[in-house]
């Protein structure tokens, strides 16, 4: 079975649009249609339901999609290993990440990586914890930068501890000794990150037995910061997320102390491509330098 057809099939499953897939992969819309019609003939059943809104996978196509993605991941790993043996570097790396990490860590890591590995194409997908875990398990990404909480049985590489902070408007009364007791969140207007996006803040509240008045929920940490700045409530956020917002809000350490463990989750350390192994080694080497940038 032609691997190019499987790559097109997997990409259309993501874009739900033949033209978008063609643009991304260097084919005309008619070329995509022709190759996928050929794949349907080989499979013996339709793969797509076509409409004016785009295309959707048939039930049979949904059944084979996990196997196709697994096969493509194995093929990428095999091709990179063969190239590595021959002293060549070619292939791609797909990284899942929290937005805070894509803003503060990954640009520097990717820049340094591309200096030594210019022929490795890098793609990045941003999401919350549940998104990232699903992408890893579905072979859509090589690995994900994420908090360890709720990553299940995925293999794990710890990078650092990222403290959680009480986040309040600038003119909010400063707590005694500059430390915010968890009990003081009780009954307060609170803006919380959506469950599935973040689990660490929810854990801190549950573990402390605190019940704030949750008025707003958001998947976007920067939206939460903006709502705090405009006095719609207070919140708890990680230090890395707060970097660069020092002039807009006030942040205080929590009592008791809570943090999130940041690192890299992957389906299998042994199953990483050569490009992924080199990227993670560089990441670990750069962590001391990246952590020196901490503002909170």
């Amino acid at each position: 079975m032609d691997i190019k057809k499987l790559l097109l099939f997997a990409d259309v499953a993501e874009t739900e649009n033949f033209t978008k897939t063609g643009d991304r992969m260097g084919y005309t819309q008619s070329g995509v249609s022709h190759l996928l019609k050929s794949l349907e003939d080989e499979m013996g059943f339709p793969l797509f339901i076509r409409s004016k809104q785009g295309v959707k996978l048939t039930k049979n196509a949904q059944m084979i999609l996990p196997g196709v993605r697994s096969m493509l991941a194995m093929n990428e790993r095999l091709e990179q290993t063969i190239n590595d043996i021959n002293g060549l570097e070619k292939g791609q790396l797909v990284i899942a990440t929290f937005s805070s990490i894509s803003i503060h860590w990954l640009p520097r890591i990717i820049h340094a990586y591309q200096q030594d590995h210019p022929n490795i194409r890098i793609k990045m997908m941003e999401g919350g914890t549940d998104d990232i875990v699903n992408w890893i398990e579905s072979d859509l990404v090589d690995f994900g930068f994420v908090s360890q909480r709720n990553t299940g049985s995925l293999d794990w590489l710890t990078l650092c501890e990222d403290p959680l902070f009480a986040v309040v408007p600038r003119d909010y009364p400063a707590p005694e000794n500059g430390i915010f007791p968890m009990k003081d969140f009780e009954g307060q207007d609170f803006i919380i990150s959506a469950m599935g996006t973040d689990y660490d803040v929810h854990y801190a509240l549950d573990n402390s037995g605190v019940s704030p008045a949750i008025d707003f929920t958001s998947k976007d940490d920067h939206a939460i910061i903006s709502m705090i700045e405009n006095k719609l409530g207070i919140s708890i956020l990680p230090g890395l997320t707060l970097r660069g917002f020092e002039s807009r809000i006030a942040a205080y350490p929590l009592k008791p102390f809570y943090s999130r463990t940041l690192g890299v989750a992957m389906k299998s350390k042994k199953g990483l491509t050569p490009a992924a192994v080199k990227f993670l080694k560089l990441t670990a080497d750069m962590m001391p330098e990246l952590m020196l940038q901490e503002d909170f």
Side-chain angles (χ1 to χ4, degrees):
M1 192 167 293
D2 190 341
I3 202 74
K4 293 180 181 178
K5 296 177 185 177
L6 296 180
L7 284 166
L8 283 172
F9 166 69
D11 198 80
V12 171
E14 183 181 340
T15 65
E16 298 183 343
N17 187 289
F18 283 3
T19 301
K20 285 183 180 178
T21 286
D23 290 342
R24 282 164 42 146
M25 301 189 68
Y27 293 91
T28 62
Q29 189 273 341
S30 60
V32 173
S33 296
H34 175 76
L35 287 169
L36 291 179
K37 179 61 173 67
S38 173
L39 182 61
E40 287 180 320
D41 292 341
E42 290 181 50
M43 294 284 190
F45 50 79
L47 296 173
F48 303 102
I49 301 169
R50 297 159 175 81
S51 71
K52 292 181 180 179
Q53 288 71 42
V55 293
K56 297 286 187 182
L57 297 188
T58 63
K59 289 184 178 179
N60 287 336
Q62 291 173 14
M63 289 174 62
I64 68 168
L65 180 60
V68 169
R69 284 177 173 160
S70 180
M71 184 183 299
L72 291 174
M74 290 175 63
N75 182 73
E76 177 69 19
R77 186 164 60 250
L78 176 61
E79 288 190 352
Q80 284 194 28
T81 301
I82 291 170
N83 288 332
D84 205 49
I85 291 170
N86 288 320
L88 304 172
E89 278 195 325
K90 187 178 180 183
Q92 74 169 5
L93 191 57
V94 186
I95 301 168
T97 179
F98 282 165
S99 63
S100 56
I101 293 175
S102 71
I103 292 170
H104 298 296
W105 289 359
L106 283 177
R108 296 187 65 181
I109 299 171
I110 291 172
H111 176 76
Y113 184 84
Q114 289 184 327
Q115 301 309 298
D116 294 327
H117 312 285
N119 294 320
I120 300 297
R121 303 184 311 278
I122 297 178
K123 295 172 60 178
M124 192 165 64
M125 297 170 64
E126 285 189 2
T129 298
D130 285 357
D131 296 323
I132 293 171
V133 169
N134 179 61
W135 294 336
I136 294 169
E137 292 177 339
S138 302
D139 291 305
L140 280 170
V141 300
D142 290 278
F143 53 79
F145 286 87
V146 68
S147 171
Q148 189 173 17
R149 199 174 302 280
N150 277 56
T151 53
S153 60
L154 294 173
D155 279 0
W156 179 257
L157 171 66
T158 297
L159 294 176
C160 72
E161 289 296 317
D162 187 23
L164 301 185
F165 290 86
V167 187
V168 299
R170 293 286 298 175
D171 60 356
Y172 191 92
E176 186 177 353
N177 300 321
I179 298 176
F180 200 102
M182 286 294 298
K183 63 181 179 62
D184 286 0
F185 285 109
E186 184 69 36
Q188 292 249 33
D189 293 339
F190 196 91
I191 307 157
I192 197 166
S193 51
M195 183 66 79
T197 301
D198 165 275
Y199 286 99
D200 298 287
V201 173
H202 292 263
Y203 172 80
L205 292 172
D206 291 344
N207 188 65
S208 299
V210 175
S211 299
I214 297 175
D215 297 315
F216 299 101
T217 300
S218 178
K219 292 184 177 181
D220 187 338
D221 289 335
H222 293 168
I224 293 175
I225 291 171
S226 180
M227 285 189 275
I228 295 168
E229 182 182 17
N230 286 280
K231 303 181 181 180
L232 298 179
I234 62 178
S235 190
I236 299 173
L237 289 170
L240 187 63
T241 298
L242 299 174
R243 188 186 292 176
F245 291 95
E246 301 86 343
S247 64
R248 294 174 54 182
I249 45 83
Y252 300 100
L254 297 172
K255 182 181 180 180
F257 174 82
Y258 286 96
S259 67
R260 62 177 181 174
T261 302
L262 291 180
V264 182
M266 64 211 83
K267 206 168 186 179
S268 167
K269 289 181 180 178
K270 294 181 179 179
L272 291 173
T273 64
V277 170
K278 293 169 185 174
F279 192 94
L280 294 185
K281 183 181 184 307
L282 175 64
T283 297
D285 290 344
M286 290 184 66
M287 280 311 301
E289 173 188 347
L290 294 168
M291 293 302 293
L292 285 175
Q293 297 178 346
E294 293 291 352
D295 297 309
F296 287 93

